């Protein structure tokens, strides 16, 4: 079975531009979460979606937005890019929302560089 | 956000040695997890813990959910070169769906 897939794997943008990152969860998983991992740090929570609804939001500005589609895939959008947005963006899927939701399965990430 | 203090920050060990690392929090978590991340890849789940005092093994890895629910420990026995990577602890607050991650322990195994 395919794991979590993310695209693109690498991209370079300039300040002020917008970026869209895509994620397909593991088949049968209905929840998708997005995390930002700055070099040398642990991942930080951005969003969680379950059944196409936002179920959690981390401490990120409104420039960050996301959505989940009927097939449970998801997009993360970042507007007005800043240099500090340079990071590895990780998508994770889980089967359920409640209960033992800590078991997240991560994709390989999209590495964004903002120049 | 929650601060998870993970130690040590890095470790250099000889192949065959045992490894111990830990993670502490100022808050009570109802779930503790340990992940390993290799360069250029996403974190991979190693062990999940759901009850205070729980001790769980996965091959040469053993992790414990601290009794206070504010800490967790990971031990790796008889280390091998493929154990190289960054190990992250992660915790989940009661009622929350997201994870808080530690700062990571970078493990280097010398053959």
């Amino acid at each position: 079975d395919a794991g979590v897939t993310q695209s693109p794997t690498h991209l370079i943008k300039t300040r002020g531009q917008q970026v869209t990152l895509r994620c397909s969860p593991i088949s049968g998983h209905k929840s998708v979460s997005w995390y930002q991992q700055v070099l040398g740090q642990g991942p930080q929570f951005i969003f969680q979606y379950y059944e196409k609804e936002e179920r959690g939001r981390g401490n990120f500005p409104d420039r960050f937005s996301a959505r989940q589609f009927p097939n449970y895939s998801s997009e993360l959008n970042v507007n007005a890019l800043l240099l500090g947005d340079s990071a590895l963006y990780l998508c994770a899927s889980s089967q359920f929302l409640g209960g033992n939701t800590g078991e997240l399965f991560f994709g390989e990430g999209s590495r964004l560089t903002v120049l | 956000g929650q601060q998870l203090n993970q130690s040590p920050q890095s470790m250099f060990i000889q192949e065959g040695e045992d490894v111990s690392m830990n993670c502490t929090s100022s808050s009570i978590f109802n779930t503790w997890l340990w992940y390993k991340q290799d360069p250029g890849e996403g974190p991979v789940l190693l062990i999940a813990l759901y009850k205070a005092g729980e001790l769980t093994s996965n091959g040469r890895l053993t992790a414990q959910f601290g009794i206070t629910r504010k800490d967790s420990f990971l031990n790796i026995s008889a280390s091998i070169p493929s154990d190289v990577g960054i190990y992250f602890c992660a915790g989940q607050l009661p009622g929350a769906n997201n994870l808080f991650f530690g700062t990571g322990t970078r493990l280097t195994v010398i053959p």
Side-chain angles (χ1 to χ4, degrees):
Chain A
D1 284 342
V4 177
T5 58
Q6 293 187 242
S7 63
T9 55
H10 296 81
L11 68 166
I12 300 174
K13 294 285 188 178
T14 57
R15 281 178 296 176
Q17 284 189 314
Q18 176 264 342
V19 68
T20 298
L21 308 176
R22 297 174 177 82
C23 171
S24 293
I26 293 171
S27 177
H29 285 194
K30 299 182 178 181
S31 179
V32 169
S33 300
W34 287 95
Y35 285 76
Q36 180 196 64
Q37 186 175 24
V38 175
L39 196 62
Q41 297 182 19
Q44 276 202 305
F45 173 67
I46 310 176
F47 286 109
Q48 182 180 32
Y49 277 78
Y50 179 76
E51 292 282 13
K52 303 182 289 293
E53 291 187 5
E54 182 183 305
R55 296 303 188 102
R57 173 186 284 254
N59 188 25
F60 280 81
D62 292 343
R63 299 184 295 108
F64 288 77
S65 63
R67 55 180 175 168
Q68 187 177 31
F69 300 99
N71 66 354
Y72 303 112
S73 66
S74 178
E75 284 183 353
L76 175 70
N77 295 286
V78 186
N79 294 322
L81 286 168
L82 304 174
L83 295 179
D85 294 332
S86 295
L88 181 67
Y89 288 85
L90 295 162
C91 175
S93 77
S94 60
Q95 195 169 7
F96 305 110
L97 180 64
N100 298 334
T101 60
E103 294 186 19
L104 297 181
F105 298 88
F106 286 87
E108 295 192 349
S110 293
R111 182 162 298 282
L112 170 65
T113 301
V114 182
L115 300 176
Chain B
Q2 296 297 318
Q3 191 84 13
L4 268 66
N5 298 307
Q6 194 169 342
S7 65
Q9 191 172 11
S10 62
M11 302 180 73
F12 291 82
I13 62 170
Q14 293 283 345
E15 183 177 356
E17 288 184 344
D18 297 343
V19 174
S20 292
M21 60 190 77
N22 68 80
C23 194
T24 60
S25 168
S26 58
S27 300
I28 290 175
F29 287 114
N30 67 342
T31 304
W32 280 99
L33 306 103
W34 286 90
Y35 285 84
K36 177 176 182 258
Q37 187 173 28
D38 292 329
E41 298 184 12
V44 174
L45 179 64
L46 299 174
I47 294 180
L49 303 155
Y50 299 102
K51 291 174 60 176
E54 179 181 355
L55 188 71
T56 298
S57 293
N58 178 9
R60 294 177 296 105
L61 278 62
T62 301
Q64 184 162 24
F65 192 137
I67 293 176
T68 66
R69 297 173 64 190
K70 291 184 177 182
D71 56 5
S72 180
F73 308 88
L74 176 69
N75 295 307
I76 305 173
S77 62
S79 58
I80 59 178
S82 63
D83 291 334
V84 166
I86 303 178
Y87 291 79
F88 288 100
C89 63
Q92 186 177 35
L93 291 171
N97 297 317
N98 61 292
L99 299 181
F100 294 95
F101 281 81
T103 49
T105 294
R106 182 180 294 274
L107 178 63
T108 301
V109 179
I110 303 167

